[in-house]
Amino acid sequence: MGKARLLVLPLLLAALLLTTAWTGQVAIVGPGQEGVSGDFEIFTWWTAGGEADGLNALLEVFQERYPDVNIINATVAGGAGMNARAVLKTRMLGGNPPDTFQVHGGQELIASYVVTGYMEPITFLWEEEGWLDVFPQDLIDMVSYEGEIYSVPANVHRSNVLWYNKAIFEEYGLEPPETWDDFFEICDVVEADGITCLSLGDVGIWATVHLFESVLVSELGAEGYQALWNGELDWTSDEVKGAFELLYQILQHVNEDHGALSWDQAVQLVVDGEAAMNLMGDWAEGYFTSVGWTPNVEYGWVPSPGTAGTFIVVTDTFGLPLGAPNRDAAIAFLRVLGSVEGQDAFNPLKGSIPARVDTDRSLYDEYLQSSMDDFAVDTLVPSLAHGSAAPESFGADFGTVMSVFVATGDVDLVSSAAQQICVANGICQ
Ligand code: GAL
């Protein structure tokens, strides 16, 4: 070894030691990290407490791994994507896609974007990352079409959860309701003292549709609910009409200003002790966490009345739009999203359980652990209000019909209108 090389080696070692001392760790450049830079636009509707926290935590992991990427966190406020989805559609149709965007697994992804040719298959990524072995087949099916996979599930949310204020329940000696009859009895007690029984924030009508899907499952059972989406059960059937009638009775027990509130403002009514209960997907759990509430301390939960054993699945996914301006960064982001680290950064704050089955359970609170347990054994059915059960066109028209129903309570009108929409969307004969 020559003298020059003898000198260079200690210098290199010293430099390495210095870097280590300064950053606390040796920078390790993993596969795919080199050369990923530039603007990266991610499009979601996650602006409320809990949702935004989860997204930020996920983006932090991404930024750490890909420090040269400039993240553009594009959000359009409005629960369930009530505004964002329209903006997205315009952009996609106009050939101006973001690099990746939030989309529900199931019909919202497949019918709106995959069949119509707006997405690139990412089966290669699933194979490279070994995800086929660590995501449940039910979820893989929701993001697949004709043998190709089109997105990466970030999470699993449960739609049919009833949340309640524990202090109120303790004060009045109440037990959480198992049936809608139990629910109405609780309403009699709390309303006598001026407390709203069920808070609702349906400034976007989706929140009433959300409530209704729980009512449908309670009245039809998981099988009957599924039969609606196979076109085997008519919307004009007595069972469905019964569900509309029940919904109308429930709506007599919500806050008067429900049409002016968003979903998180409705959850806040429970936090403030102005309402006893709220029926919302478990992004409400993320909201409770964001205001410092702890499960089984300040709030409790049960499956929405009459739905124990059924898990209405909502899954947020992200894919690769054809023509994504920064395809490399989008793929890099999807790798992070599907990783254990990404899922475990996002989900404990978001109020959802990880889509992967091999993550660190100890990072999840008592509610989320109970949701993991239920997800593993319950009958899984897709959400109507959150894009999985039926195409977006059905959901949009159904929302209009639901607005009429909230105002009129006309069961015959609403059920025959729903049947027409079902036929028009090719679901029913
Ligand atoms: C759902 C979405 C959830 C949550 C919720 C309220 O559609 O899947 O992640 O964001 O809307 O905005």
Side-chain angles (χ1 to χ4, degrees):
M1 196 178 281
K3 206 174 175 190
R5 287 180 73 188
L6 272 176
L7 266 176
V8 167
L9 199 57
L11 276 177
L12 271 177
L13 276 174
L16 185 62
L17 278 174
L18 265 179
T19 319
T20 310
W22 186 44
T23 60
Q25 58 187 18
V26 182
I28 298 167
V29 178
Q33 295 184 9
E34 281 161 347
V36 180
S37 61
D39 288 347
F40 161 75
E41 186 190 10
I42 174 170
F43 184 95
T44 75
W45 59 82
W46 287 331
T47 56
E51 315 182 309
D53 301 331
L55 176 61
N56 288 336
L58 173 65
L59 292 178
E60 264 172 41
V61 176
F62 177 54
Q63 188 77 82
E64 267 166 33
R65 282 208 205 167
Y66 296 91
D68 296 335
V69 171
N70 177 40
I71 298 172
I72 300 169
N73 184 1
T75 49
V76 175
M82 57 188 265
N83 306 316
R85 283 183 286 112
V87 174
L88 177 70
K89 197 147 286 170
T90 309
R91 289 188 55 173
M92 296 294 279
L93 290 172
N96 175 30
D99 294 301
T100 192
F101 60 88
Q102 175 188 0
V103 62
H104 292 122
Q107 290 291 316
E108 191 175 306
L109 167 70
I110 304 300
S112 296
Y113 295 110
V114 173
V115 176
T116 45
Y118 287 100
M119 305 299 285
E120 200 181 312
I122 53 166
T123 316
F124 72 93
L125 199 55
W126 279 75
E127 284 163 358
E128 278 173 32
E129 297 288 332
W131 289 338
L132 291 162
D133 300 327
V134 290
F135 283 81
Q137 192 60 42
D138 288 296
L139 289 187
I140 299 177
D141 290 346
M142 288 175 84
V143 296
S144 299
Y145 180 68
E146 294 190 339
E148 296 278 8
I149 307 181
Y150 284 90
S151 68
V152 182
N155 61 359
V156 175
H157 270 304
R158 186 176 194 175
S159 155
N160 55 317
V161 191
L162 187 91
W163 311 95
Y164 61 95
N165 178 312
K166 285 202 75 145
I168 294 178
F169 271 58
E170 269 153 34
E171 186 179 342
Y172 294 94
L174 301 169
E175 290 296 323
E178 285 178 17
T179 65
W180 285 109
D181 283 343
D182 297 344
F183 169 87
F184 291 123
E185 280 174 21
I186 293 170
C187 291
D188 288 344
V189 175
V190 297
E191 285 169 358
D193 246 359
I195 297 171
T196 296
C197 189
L198 184 74
S199 67
L200 176 68
D202 63 353
V203 67
I205 194 64
W206 68 269
T208 309
V209 177
H210 183 110
L211 171 58
F212 185 54
E213 68 187 16
S214 267
V215 174
L216 276 175
V217 170
S218 76
E219 293 309 282
L220 311 180
E223 245 176 61
Y225 177 81
Q226 286 283 32
L228 281 176
W229 312 119
N230 305 332
E232 286 162 10
L233 180 65
D234 276 6
W235 287 84
T236 49
S237 62
D238 287 345
E239 298 96 307
V240 176
K241 284 187 175 174
F244 276 117
E245 267 157 25
L246 177 54
L247 174 68
Y248 201 68
Q249 288 171 31
I250 296 165
L251 290 175
Q252 306 316 305
H253 298 279
V254 302
N255 43 301
E256 273 176 20
D257 60 352
H258 61 91
L261 301 188
S262 57
W263 70 266
D264 46 318
Q265 289 173 319
V267 177
Q268 183 63 39
L269 291 180
V270 174
V271 174
D272 292 340
E274 287 178 35
M277 296 176 274
N278 178 264
L279 195 163
M280 188 39 66
D282 45 16
W283 41 95
E285 203 271 351
Y287 184 82
F288 286 132
T289 303
S290 78
V291 298
W293 270 29
T294 306
N296 254 336
V297 178
E298 291 91 356
Y299 71 93
W301 69 92
V302 280
S304 57
T307 68
T310 301
F311 193 119
I312 305 180
V313 175
V314 179
T315 179
D316 297 301
T317 78
F318 289 80
L320 182 59
L322 266 179
N326 193 343
R327 184 176 179 277
D328 286 351
I331 290 172
F333 170 76
L334 295 176
R335 286 188 203 280
V336 172
L337 178 68
S339 70
V340 170
E341 197 191 347
Q343 300 244 327
D344 279 348
F346 175 72
N347 286 298
L349 297 172
K350 180 69 170 74
S352 39
I353 60 174
R356 286 179 74 124
V357 296
D358 59 343
T359 56
D360 183 354
R361 185 180 164 98
S362 71
L363 297 172
Y364 294 81
D365 70 18
E366 197 181 339
Y367 165 73
L368 290 169
Q369 292 193 5
S370 80
S371 179
M372 287 178 192
D373 296 342
D374 288 350
F375 182 71
V377 297
D378 279 2
T379 304
L380 308 180
V381 296
S383 165
L384 161 63
H386 304 278
S388 298
E392 273 185 294
S393 48
F394 178 93
D397 290 346
F398 192 80
T400 308
V401 169
M402 187 55 91
S403 299
V404 173
F405 183 64
V406 171
T408 64
D410 190 332
V411 170
D412 288 333
L413 177 76
V414 82
S415 51
S416 63
Q419 180 66 17
Q420 281 173 30
I421 298 168
C422 189
V423 171
N425 278 279
I427 303 168
C428 306
Q429 300 295 317

